[in-house]
Amino acid sequence: MSAEQEREVADASATLERALIEVKKVVVGQDAMVERMIIGLLARGHILLEGVPGVAKTLAVRTLADVVGGSFARLQFTPDLMPGDITGTRVWRASSETFDVELGPVFANLVLADEINRAPAKVQSALLEAMAEKQVSIAGTSHRLPDPFLVLATQNPVESEGVYRLPEAQRDRFLLKVDVPYPSGQEEFTILHRMSVKPPRAEAVLDPVEVIRLQGVADGLFVHHSVASYLVNLTIATRSPERYGLAHLREVIELGVSPRASLGMLAAGRALALLRGRSYVLPADIAEVASDVMSHRMLLSFDAVADGADPRAIVREVVAAVPQPTVASREDPDAGHTAALAAQGQSS
């Protein structure tokens, strides 16, 4: 990478650091959630936030929208919601005796899909097209969504009445699934101090044009072939766990992750490396995002679900079993290639 490209990476990393600081002015704790939201923005991947009510999921998304700039829309999902309520519809204009298209709230740069698991199947189907194709079909005509476009959805894991389980195809469209825990005691004390009187407001650091530029910088980060081999081995381990000494997972995992998980780990790894100020991706970057990328894409067996198996624990077991290459930098490519071949030899 040239000196100019290195400066571009350093500048992008500094800009992202300012954006993180602005978000953290409002959101107390939840560092992993905030970082994953930035990763999704850089990697052009949608994010599913799961946590009980009151742990700052909606606040974090609203704050990110303030920092990123551009347009923002909040969709409150309910069981009686119709597809046209989010995508738009045709409206009859009596004055001109023609139909006009009224675009829905999904036409925004950042879309908060609040309590997404309350939406019925038709709404999920309409949202799936928007997430996957970045377009919406209204009366047979396709309308492109703005660029950048990011869906940040929230769901409550403890509620069972009036909710719909997200179908596998819908979950697969989310780049990351982030579990949002309760704050610690010290963090909750800070929340009381910061939010009880006059809550702070984040300032805009980015705009849509700058976000697209940062996405381009992340796309250009160097990925050694040993790192690419490593992340492919992680996905294969969920489909053929016996190859990696995990034969007991054969009865636990009914369907392993798809190639979209490999693409997701690569994009998320690049975004994480940029946040860390590096122009190259390390195996540790892939290992760090693996759980958020793969846990919601695996389909567990009926017995495993009945026994309360934790998909994240399974991914951690896979990550621990698949050996990492010892070198991932550009300075010693031969060593990285040798390490990758050694890792493949151990798994066969």
Side-chain angles (χ1 to χ4, degrees), residues 59-209:
L59 175 65
V61 176
R62 282 188 173 276
T63 304
L64 180 66
D66 290 338
V67 172
V68 170
S71 54
F72 170 73
R74 175 178 178 175
L75 307 177
Q76 187 66 48
F77 281 30
T78 57
D80 61 347
L81 199 67
M82 297 296 290
D85 295 333
I86 65 171
T87 62
T89 187
R90 293 201 306 169
V91 178
W92 173 254
R93 303 296 185 190
S95 58
S96 59
E97 296 187 349
T98 58
F99 282 100
D100 288 345
V101 174
E102 291 280 353
L103 299 179
V106 77
F107 286 84
N109 295 118
L110 265 71
V111 176
L112 168 59
D114 221 351
E115 295 187 282
I116 189 174
N117 52 337
R118 286 188 175 275
K122 286 185 177 180
V123 176
Q124 294 291 353
S125 178
L127 185 63
L128 179 60
E129 181 191 9
M131 294 170 61
E133 309 297 336
K134 292 185 170 53
Q135 69 176 26
V136 165
S137 297
I138 302 175
T141 303
S142 296
H143 302 267
R144 297 296 301 176
L145 291 164
D147 189 20
F149 174 71
L150 179 66
V151 173
L152 297 111
T154 70
Q155 71 175 9
N156 180 355
V158 298
E159 208 162 8
S160 58
E161 293 186 6
V163 299
Y164 301 81
R165 183 176 181 271
L166 293 183
E168 284 73 17
Q170 184 83 6
R171 295 203 307 270
D172 199 37
R173 299 300 180 184
F174 286 101
L175 172 67
L176 304 170
K177 178 178 178 291
V178 182
D179 293 336
V180 186
Y182 283 116
S184 67
Q186 180 59 45
E187 288 171 346
E188 192 151 353
F189 180 82
T190 305
I191 291 171
L192 290 176
H193 177 72
R194 185 182 299 181
M195 307 298 290
S196 60
V197 182
K198 186 178 180 182
R201 180 90 177 185
E203 301 294 330
V205 174
L206 308 172
D207 57 54
V209 174

